[in-house]
Amino acid sequence: LSPKEQQSVANYDQLVDAEEAYDKTFADNVTDLIAKIGTIDENSGAAIQQARDAYDQLTKSQRNLVTNFDSLISAEKEYDACMVKYCKDLINSLNENAVSSEAIEAAVSAFASLSDAQKREVKNDISDPAQIIENAYIELTVSLISEIDYKSGMPSTKALHTMINAVTAYEDLDPEQKEKVTNSALLEKSLKAFKKFSDSRIKTDARYAKQQYISK
């Protein structure tokens, strides 16, 4: 409409009220998302990202209606600092004697999720995180191999699982890392003994031989 025609619209105020109510609906949703972030820890990332994505999709007028935007900014900063500390703690824990594959993977995943700036913060306190992680993989492999007690004959289920875990860990290492595994000879000896047992069964056990043939 022309400006003169617009002045003749008797219920224009209703349109303005509707627009404000519409904007407030979206703004209130974002306000609620920010309020639900709660206490910040290493698991807060999804809630913070959800609130940030919702806020970024608002129009300028809708953003002006979000009453707790400062809380979102504070949560983002606190989460960044929390993740740096969390990653440091995970990496430092790999220097302990008993290291699990879950602990190593948690440290790797946490470090990979950091921004470049956050990674620099970690490296300011921990000179070489990659080397610590590599050493942890090697020490874990050594530990798994040391648990092998199979020597000959029919292996128990536990003995098989022990060998499988050790082989899996060892094969995941690169050639240079494998050279640092101090007890790799024990793994090789156990595997040779198991192969000898398997080969003997093919000769003496018809059912086993048939199963192996079908598998191949």
Side-chain angles (χ1 to χ4, degrees), residues 18-62:
E19 288 174 332
E20 291 178 351
Y22 179 78
D23 285 346
K24 190 174 185 303
T25 298
F26 284 91
D28 286 350
N29 177 59
V30 174
T31 299
D32 289 342
L33 289 174
I34 294 173
K36 289 178 181 177
I37 292 173
T39 304
I40 303 300
D41 59 24
E42 66 273 10
N43 299 312
S44 300
I48 293 173
Q49 190 61 53
Q50 183 183 18
R52 166 54 72 177
D53 290 343
Y55 179 83
D56 289 346
Q57 291 175 12
L58 298 180
T59 64
K60 183 177 180 180
S61 60
Q62 291 168 348

Side-chain angles (χ1 to χ4, degrees), residues 134-206:
E134 177 181 319
N135 291 341
Y137 275 121
I138 294 170
E139 289 303 316
L140 175 63
T141 303
V142 170
S143 175
L144 291 172
I145 293 175
S146 68
E147 294 176 6
I148 297 176
D149 59 1
Y150 175 78
K151 293 181 174 58
S152 62
M154 172 69 78
S156 65
T157 302
K158 180 181 178 182
L160 281 174
H161 279 300
T162 302
M163 283 192 286
I164 289 170
N165 291 337
V167 169
T168 302
Y170 185 76
E171 291 303 323
D172 283 343
L173 302 178
D174 62 37
E176 290 185 4
Q177 293 169 339
K178 287 179 180 178
E179 291 180 1
K180 297 177 182 179
V181 176
T182 56
N183 57 352
S184 58
L186 173 59
L187 175 61
E188 185 178 352
K189 182 179 179 181
S190 298
L191 293 177
K192 284 183 178 179
F194 181 70
K195 184 177 185 305
K196 182 178 179 181
F197 165 71
S198 298
D199 291 344
S200 69
R201 283 198 64 185
I202 292 178
K203 297 177 182 178
T204 60
D205 189 328

Side-chain angles (χ1 to χ4, degrees), residues 200-216:
S200 69
R201 283 198 64 185
I202 292 178
K203 297 177 182 178
T204 60
D205 189 328
R207 180 177 295 177
Y208 181 79
K210 182 177 181 180
Q211 179 184 331
Q212 291 297 101
Y213 176 78
I214 293 173
S215 298
K216 290 179 181 179

Side-chain angles (χ1 to χ4, degrees), residues 82 105 115 153 205:
C82 175
E105 293 306 323
S115 65
D205 189 328

